[in-house]
Amino acid sequence: MHRSRVRTAIATGAAAGALLLASLGAAPPPTRTTAPSPTRGPTPAPTTPAPTTRAPGDDDPLARFHTQRVRWGDCPDKPVPAEMRCAVVEVPLDYAAPGKGTVEVALGRIPATDPDRRIGSLLINFGGPGASGMAGLAADPKSFADLGERYDLIGFDPRGVGHSDPVSCAGSREPEIDPNADTAALLAAMRDAVDQCRRASGPVLAHIGTVDVARDMDVIRRVLGDEKLNYLGFSYGSRLGAVYAAQFPRTTGRMVLDGIDTLTEPMTEQALVSARAQQRALDNFLSWCAHQTDCVYGTNTRTAKEKVAALVERLDQEPLVGRDGTNLTGFGASLAIGQALYSPSAWPLLAKSLALAETKKDPAGLLALLGLGESPDPTDPPDPTEPATPTDPPASPDAARGDGFGPVPADNGAAALAAVSCADDPDRSIEKATPAALEKEFGELGEEFLKVSKVFGPRQLVTVLACYGWPAGTDFIRKIDHPGAPPMLLVGTRGDPATPYEWTEETAERLGSAVIVDHKGDGHTGFAGSRCVREYINEFLLYGRLPSGTRSCPAGE
């Protein structure tokens, strides 16, 4: 990777850092627009009684949080299911100093439809970090109908996200970063961007990591009156569940993790593994495409792989211009392709979009996959990139809220994504590097990333810079090792572009009490796309039936 490409990569990384859009595996989905909700009415809301017992070893200063009452009322965003109600729970800003301040965590609840057979509450995290759990629950309750018969379904916005004291970086427009500036100036721009986040977000930004959110989940468990935490976590939510189990093994109930995140790998290794996983998913797509009658790349999958890489490289030199003047670069094309790989249901549109770019020099399809411009075909669905999995729903943009819920900044999802990711990562060796040393490191890493994937390698490389300027994170997650939690169920999908299957095996080994469901299919997570996976999950969460040893679910259901 010669010097100009190194400088471009660093400049791109600076822009990504300033935008806080550098993700650890995949591009964030397009933002979903929601309308303002009316204010709450004056009718008193029902309350949930707080539990009267505390587990041994609790800190006395937390007692007032554990015994608070939950007042359920109208939800801040519309539409929501008619039976869904929302509330706010107070948690400590800093668990090391509970009197220092509080954070308000927003919850949404859909009561069990068969109350006579009710088990308790099922907390669901839909991924991220930076995704609203209330929005995720409201968007797709039918997927959880079987579980919702016996559980109260609970979606929550983790601290710093959505309606839970949201963080912000004071804007979402792309900063003006000169790729020709020297490396020192680019890194200084990234530090300035982080300082802006601190000023805009306030004290919650320093206490936003997964370790704190897991402790919030235990407060939620207490105030909902559950003896143990029953939990379903997708994607990033799998890390959150694992961290809860490590901190609270005795109160871990039936726990299912689907789309398993890494607990141990530093950011550079995460980026490299992610690039490899995305390339594997792209290869699977191209194999599928080769069996279609109109695949623009024909039937030779080897040459198809080379042609996609050539397209991305060509667009970096000569971007395509959309109908509204939007430029599509190779970097943007790799984002769009990666987005479509989240679900096989988006593969037909990806094939059409690549054909438009290759044969007509029209970027409309790829731009649509990024949520930009119009769909290339009026018969296509308006949001073709929405994953067919209940993971990683986007945060809401600015809107007026009802009583008890404040506005959500437009850049909240991106700001929280970076803040949580960096809070979870203790590695900061890059902070000590001189600009010259950093250019040398990027040059060496660049060759390695390109070998893994010419399409995704360069984009994943810039995520190595995502935490530049942020304070060092916790090393607790790296040290999780057989915490003594009860058996739980882990689902890994072989063709997952965001959470590669090897992370499933790694996390299962770390937890020491996990049973794996090996889903042979494609896309991100298995719950929505595989009846076999859903059956294993439902059997465990509803009846406590957990198979012994690894089980498999076929592809193509």
Side-chain angles (χ1 to χ4, degrees), residues 358-379:
E358 293 279 15
T359 62
K360 297 185 178 180
K361 312 300 181 187
D362 185 351
L366 293 173
L367 289 173
L369 288 168
L370 293 173
L372 303 172
E374 298 179 355
S375 178
D377 187 328
T379 62

Side-chain angles (χ1 to χ4, degrees), residues 308-319:
V308 174
L311 173 67
V312 170
E313 185 174 359
R314 187 165 67 249
L315 293 181
D316 270 331
Q317 302 301 320
E318 297 180 15

